Amino acid sequence: TASLGEAYRVQLAAVKTKDGAQETWTKLQKKHAQLLSGKELTVVEIDKGSDGKFYRVQAGPFADRAAATDACVALKKLEQGCMVVKP
Protein backbone atom coordinates (compact mmCIF):
# COMPACT_ATOMS: atom_id res chain seq x y z
CA THR A 1 0.00 0.00 0.00
CA ALA A 2 1.13 3.52 -0.74
CA SER A 3 1.53 6.10 1.98
CA LEU A 4 -0.68 9.19 1.98
CA GLY A 5 2.16 11.29 0.62
CA GLU A 6 2.58 9.20 -2.52
CA ALA A 7 -0.96 7.98 -3.21
CA TYR A 8 -3.91 9.43 -5.06
CA ARG A 9 -6.54 11.19 -2.98
CA VAL A 10 -9.87 12.86 -3.71
CA GLN A 11 -10.61 16.41 -2.67
CA LEU A 12 -14.10 16.86 -1.28
CA ALA A 13 -14.15 20.45 -0.03
CA ALA A 14 -12.14 23.54 0.85
CA VAL A 15 -13.06 25.43 4.01
CA LYS A 16 -11.79 28.47 5.92
CA THR A 17 -10.65 26.80 9.17
CA LYS A 18 -8.74 23.70 10.19
CA ASP A 19 -11.52 22.82 12.65
CA GLY A 20 -14.00 23.25 9.81
CA ALA A 21 -12.03 20.75 7.74
CA GLN A 22 -12.30 18.15 10.49
CA GLU A 23 -16.03 18.84 10.95
CA THR A 24 -16.61 18.58 7.20
CA TRP A 25 -14.73 15.28 7.06
CA THR A 26 -16.76 13.84 9.93
CA LYS A 27 -20.03 14.79 8.20
CA LEU A 28 -18.91 13.46 4.82
CA GLN A 29 -17.68 10.19 6.31
CA LYS A 30 -21.10 9.61 7.85
CA LYS A 31 -23.02 10.74 4.75
CA HIS A 32 -20.91 8.68 2.32
CA ALA A 33 -19.79 5.84 4.59
CA GLN A 34 -19.78 3.21 1.83
CA LEU A 35 -17.40 5.24 -0.33
CA LEU A 36 -15.18 6.76 2.36
CA SER A 37 -14.93 3.85 4.79
CA GLY A 38 -11.30 3.07 5.55
CA LYS A 39 -10.03 6.34 4.08
CA GLU A 40 -7.92 8.84 5.98
CA LEU A 41 -8.36 12.59 6.15
CA THR A 42 -5.59 14.78 4.76
CA VAL A 43 -5.91 18.52 5.34
CA VAL A 44 -3.87 20.67 2.96
CA GLU A 45 -3.45 24.31 3.93
CA ILE A 46 -3.26 26.80 1.07
CA ASP A 47 -2.78 30.55 1.22
CA LYS A 48 -4.89 32.44 -1.30
CA GLY A 49 -3.29 35.81 -0.52
CA SER A 50 -5.95 38.47 0.01
CA ASP A 51 -8.64 35.76 0.18
CA GLY A 52 -6.90 34.20 3.20
CA LYS A 53 -6.10 30.61 4.05
CA PHE A 54 -8.17 27.64 3.00
CA TYR A 55 -8.01 24.06 4.16
CA ARG A 56 -8.59 21.38 1.55
CA VAL A 57 -10.42 18.28 2.75
CA GLN A 58 -8.94 15.24 1.02
CA ALA A 59 -9.62 11.53 1.46
CA GLY A 60 -7.32 8.65 0.63
CA PRO A 61 -5.20 6.83 -0.08
CA PHE A 62 -6.52 5.17 -3.23
CA ALA A 63 -4.58 2.39 -4.91
CA ASP A 64 -4.29 4.27 -8.20
CA ARG A 65 -5.78 7.05 -10.30
CA ALA A 66 -8.54 4.76 -11.61
CA ALA A 67 -9.73 3.92 -8.08
CA ALA A 68 -9.74 7.60 -7.10
CA THR A 69 -11.60 8.50 -10.30
CA ASP A 70 -14.20 5.79 -9.68
CA ALA A 71 -14.77 7.13 -6.16
CA CYS A 72 -15.20 10.67 -7.50
CA VAL A 73 -17.69 9.56 -10.12
CA ALA A 74 -19.72 7.76 -7.46
CA LEU A 75 -19.57 10.78 -5.12
CA LYS A 76 -20.64 13.16 -7.89
CA LYS A 77 -23.67 10.96 -8.56
CA LEU A 78 -24.59 11.65 -4.91
CA GLU A 79 -24.17 15.39 -5.56
CA GLN A 80 -20.87 15.59 -3.66
CA GLY A 81 -18.21 17.74 -5.30
CA CYS A 82 -15.01 15.82 -5.88
CA MET A 83 -11.73 15.96 -7.77
CA VAL A 84 -8.77 13.60 -8.00
CA VAL A 85 -5.53 14.81 -6.43
CA LYS A 86 -2.22 13.46 -7.73
CA PRO A 87 0.43 12.14 -5.34
Side-chain angles (χ1 to χ4, degrees):
T1 40
S3 74
L4 282 175
E6 54 194 48
Y8 282 92
R9 299 186 300 268
V10 295
Q11 183 169 313
L12 304 168
V15 297
K16 292 289 278 176
T17 67
K18 202 168 192 174
D19 287 343
Q22 182 62 54
E23 290 169 17
T24 299
W25 171 246
T26 300
K27 288 178 188 175
L28 291 174
Q29 251 193 329
K30 287 178 185 173
K31 186 175 181 181
H32 304 298
Q34 283 187 308
L35 295 169
L36 299 177
S37 176
K39 301 302 176 199
E40 302 275 331
L41 168 65
T42 299
V43 178
V44 178
E45 181 182 313
I46 58 164
D47 190 340
K48 295 285 237 169
S50 61
D51 289 334
K53 289 184 181 177
F54 284 84
Y55 298 86
R56 294 176 173 166
V57 178
Q58 299 178 352
F62 288 88
D64 54 28
R65 183 178 188 85
T69 300
D70 289 348
C72 263
V73 168
L75 286 160
K76 287 178 181 178
K77 286 180 182 176
L78 298 171
E79 298 182 5
Q80 171 59 52
C82 184
M83 62 189 242
V84 174
V85 180
K86 293 183 197 177

